[in-house]
Amino acid sequence: MAVGIRDVARAAGVSTATVSRALGKGPVSDALREQVEAAVRATGYRPNLSARRLRSQAAQTIGLIVADIRNPFFTAVSRAVEDAAYRAGMRLILCNTGEDAEREALYLRLMQEERVTGVVFAPTRRTAERLRPEDFPFPLVLIDRTGPPGGHDGVVLDNVAAGAALVDHLVEQGFSRISGLFGSTSSTAEERRDGYLSAMRRHGLAPQVRTVLPDAEPAQGEVARWLAGADRPEALVLSNGLILMGAVRAARAAGLAWPGGIALAGFDNEPWTDLVEPGLTVIEQPVAEIGAQAMDLLFDRLKNPDQPVRKVVLSGRLIARGSTARR
Amino acid sequence: MAVGIRDVARAAGVSTATVSRALGKGPVSDALREQVEAAVRATGYRPNLSARRLRSQAAQTIGLIVADIRNPFFTAVSRAVEDAAYRAGMRLILCNTGEDAEREALYLRLMQEERVTGVVFAPTRRTAERLRPEDFPFPLVLIDRTGPPGGHDGVVLDNVAAGAALVDHLVEQGFSRISGLFGSTSSTAEERRDGYLSAMRRHGLAPQVRTVLPDAEPAQGEVARWLAGADRPEALVLSNGLILMGAVRAARAAGLAWPGGIALAGFDNEPWTDLVEPGLTVIEQPVAEIGAQAMDLLFDRLKNPDQPVRKVVLSGRLIARGSTARR
DNA sequence: ACGGCCTATGAAAACGTTTTCATAAGCAGC
DNA sequence: GCTGCTTATGAAAACGTTTTCATAGGCCGT
């Protein structure tokens, strides 16, 4: 039934060591290599990766742990990471935490048990704070979100600048009662909020901030309540694509379609943001670059374990559309 | 450095067999089990899954191979599959083929080398045709797309009925020059086209069909050419969410916003389809059900390898929105 | 009190590879 | 023609578990 390397060796009339070498990169004469390849074809042999990994102590696997694969930001980053892994001849294990700290812990444990080569991780704030490098026998690269300084390599957006850029843009467009709704689980949302706050102060405006679970439904509910209240803002800054979607829904439901209703500015240039009229103003993130850089950091760290911790900060790009049109 | 079961055994003063049994479900006295657990905590032991899988010949892993993870249909199905796997104590390997037959073959080979417990697969038409059960030592369940009858278990939408339903709806709304744009890589797109064709015939209308790679950019280009030509249709049926998005873009670019421009009806009730004004008419697929059913079929097959091949056909639901409003 | 039968435990085999170590053969230099 | 060096090959160890097999001890029925 299960054909192993011994069967191939027998069929080729050589030892298992020779088969292993012929399939790998060991020194084998051309004649034998050909015999072995013929035997492999004849027997339909498929190597057993568990055995290979166990013996060679090289999993050739990298783990990718993201918060929510439905968020197009993460699917885009995933593709970049997958491509890089693929090019390096590594497999990818993709895990979804749903912003749940317990599942994060579970998956981190799983990575250790898989003896992975390295991990790319977008942690919740709570987990990021407890992340200690010495607990992990593999390189751990943080993306999108960051932990305590000096802990792990990471790739993040310049979130403070991006948050401020949205405020600057809204002010320039003539808005002043600008409020912000930010995700509650990530350092990234916090930084975007800080950017929002400092820009508001700089403009001499009164900030107003709320916080919500970073998903469309909770955001929609929160915005709906906000719009129904007495302190309805003129413009809203939303800290990610899912929250932005919730806000659009709430604005629609309240009959506050723009222009003239409420101005919206958010993050992530998702495919639908230019389709909903008259287009949503967003900060576009360099998603492919984020994934690629994360893998670069990871491979660098493998090559050179003792180099100082590096943090790559990338800039977003403001895409102004109709949702923030001048009043 | 690497702490193994031997270290735990030494720390607990027992044999490795006892440690293994204490950690698994073997019969161990309460006293020893406690000692072992203490030793595990003290040593920080993490089992090596490669070794475990090698010895126990049970990968406890299921593979999921989809065409395009950016397609929200597949991300939604993935989550259902992941949940089911998680509940069954299995890990998931997620692979992305990008509708490329070569990568499909690559990943199927990978699954064999990983000795996975089973695979859930959305194959291209070309691969589906060549899929022979005897080539796979594990259960293979097809989703969304189907192969030759009697080959593998599968879960699909009633695509013929769904394609026809869109035509019926458009006819009811007063349209008659209804054309169809269908994906070129899947049996599913073919079936939807068949449904379209038979419904058109039934209504005594002249069908007009084109075919395209199932992604937004190619679809946009094709629709743009179509709308610029002499035979511009009144209404379009689009065979999946990405193609639908391309069509919306092309219609926008051509200044043919509805109502009054071109009517659009497609597949997949993606989150953005009700946001783009005045809403897109779609067939909603029971995504969670599809994933869950696929895993049910897989586990049933594991339990009972010789039962007859089963195909589960689920019905879609028409969601009528403004994009097909009566002329 | 004794034989038989469970039950908990340990020693060692087994899982399918890769890698180490030893060896034989080939070849250059004298 | 012998020595020393390189190279291809095979035998066997090793990777870290689980599982089999043997054994010792306790308990039950007689």
Side-chain angles (χ1 to χ4, degrees), chain A residues 15 17-18 21 27-29 32 54-55 57:
Chain A
S15 73
T18 299
R21 284 191 272 252
V28 187
S29 68
L32 281 196
L54 171 59
R55 171 60 230 213
Q57 301 286 74

Side-chain angles (χ1 to χ4, degrees), chain A residues 60-77:
Chain A
Q60 298 283 78
T61 299
I62 83 121
L64 175 59
I65 309 180
V66 300
D68 189 350
I69 195 65
R70 289 171 317 162
N71 184 335
F73 168 75
F74 285 119
T75 70
V77 172

Side-chain angles (χ1 to χ4, degrees), chain B residues 148-168:
Chain B
H152 292 274
D153 294 327
V155 187
V156 293
L157 195 74
D158 187 344
N159 288 304
V160 176
L166 287 179
V167 172
D168 290 346

Side-chain angles (χ1 to χ4, degrees), chain B residues 2 19 25 31 35-36 42 91 107 175 198 315:
Chain B
V19 175
K25 54 179 164 46
Q35 277 181 52
V36 169
R91 344 204 170 287
Y107 282 131
F175 297 95
S198 79
S315 292

Side-chain angles (χ1 to χ4, degrees), chain B residues 67 69 71 105 125 148 151 177 217 223 225 233 237 239 248 260-261 302 304:
Chain B
I69 194 65
N71 185 335
R125 192 163 34 93
R177 298 195 26 243
E217 292 74 29
V223 172
R225 273 191 297 281
V237 171
S239 81
V248 171
L302 283 171
N304 200 343

Side-chain angles (χ1 to χ4, degrees), chain B residues 15 17-18 21 27-29 32 54-55 57:
Chain B
S15 73
T18 299
R21 284 191 274 251
V28 188
S29 68
L32 280 196
L54 171 60
R55 172 61 231 215
Q57 302 288 72

